[in-house]
Amino acid sequence: KNEVEQSPQNLTAQEGEFITINCSYSVGISALHWLQQHPGGGIVSLFMLSSGKKKHGRLIATINIQEKHSSLHITASHPRDSAVYICAAFTSGGSYIPTFGRGTSLIVHP
Amino acid sequence: ETGVTQSPTHLIKTRGQQVTLRCSSQSGHNTVSWYQQALGQGPQFIFQYYREEENGRGNFPPRFSGLQFPNYSSELNVNALELDDSALYLCASSYERDSIFEQFFGPGTRLTVL
């Protein structure tokens, strides 16, 4: 069973700060998914990655397969980035069923 | 491209009742997964359907059942509702692409069991 841990659980920042959210998992994976969940529940897919690094606007996601660790970075954070960020790991071996972390709640103050 | 939709948005039931939640997949997607998200927790996998067949199941009792239709829309049925079934229920559709499923989530159905 894959254990997925996120840190920190809660994060408060001032507008403009650089944010890092971490995700670690216990067994080998084929891919990792970063998701954003706004109040009310809607989930938006941010990144799907299996190696290296991806960038989209102010968001950057990295993954280190050997260390079983991924990070999500937000540069120049903005109040509209306030949301819960969730990572989901797809275990290797042909299973496409993800295991989710509990999420990191981010609040960015103006 | 049509996104994933779910109905109803909110639902209130009482213990022992039965409920059916519905999900319409994104156009072109043949796989749908259902998740339960309790307050303050990450989503928990209930089951997945691929081309109308169950393709995997999480640690949920048999009173949680599902269907996928030929147009790839899906239903989640829960019988004998319990208070702990109160949660946000999410469906996500995907299409196998290079062996990695990128899932697209619906807005969820919030179920309250009284």
Side-chain angles (χ1 to χ4, degrees), chain A residues 10-26:
Chain A
N10 296 287
L11 188 53
T12 302
Q14 289 299 126
E15 184 173 356
E17 286 185 3
F18 182 83
I19 304 292
T20 295
I21 298 170
N22 297 298
C23 176
S24 61
Y25 48 91
S26 58

Side-chain angles (χ1 to χ4, degrees), chain A:
Chain A
K1 182 186 172 186
N2 205 353
E3 303 288 341
V4 178
E5 299 287 339
Q6 286 188 238
S7 64
Q9 189 172 342
N10 296 287
L11 188 53
T12 302
Q14 289 299 126
E15 184 173 356
E17 286 185 3
F18 182 83
I19 304 292
T20 295
I21 298 170
N22 297 298
C23 176
S24 61
Y25 48 91
S26 58
V27 302
I29 64 168
S30 58
L32 189 126
H33 205 169
W34 279 102
L35 306 162
Q36 180 191 56
Q37 186 171 33
H38 283 281
I43 290 182
V44 174
S45 172
L46 298 176
F47 296 103
M48 190 83 167
L49 67 167
S50 56
S51 65
K53 172 180 167 179
K54 285 191 176 180
K55 184 176 189 294
H56 181 70
R58 296 180 294 105
L59 301 178
I60 303 167
T62 63
I63 189 166
N64 185 318
I65 296 295
Q66 288 73 31
E67 295 186 2
K68 297 186 175 62
H69 181 268
S70 177
S71 293
L72 175 68
H73 306 285
I74 305 174
T75 61
S77 59
H78 189 277
R80 65 174 174 267
D81 297 326
S82 299
V84 175
Y85 292 84
I86 302 171
C87 67
F90 288 80
T91 304
S92 302
S95 167
Y96 299 112
I97 297 167
T99 302
F100 291 80
R102 291 184 62 175
T104 293
S105 177
L106 170 66
I107 298 174
V108 181
H109 293 293

Side-chain angles (χ1 to χ4, degrees), chain A residues 37 45 48 96 98 100 102, chain B residues 35 37 41 99-102:
Chain A
Q37 186 171 33
S45 172
M48 190 83 167
Y96 299 112
F100 291 80
R102 291 184 62 175
Chain B
Y35 300 94
Q37 187 178 24
Q41 304 290 321
S99 300
I100 295 175
F101 284 107
E102 180 166 4

Side-chain angles (χ1 to χ4, degrees), chain B residues 60-75:
Chain B
F60 280 80
R63 58 190 185 82
F64 284 78
S65 62
L67 278 175
Q68 187 182 31
F69 300 101
N71 66 354
Y72 302 134
S73 65
S74 176
E75 285 182 356

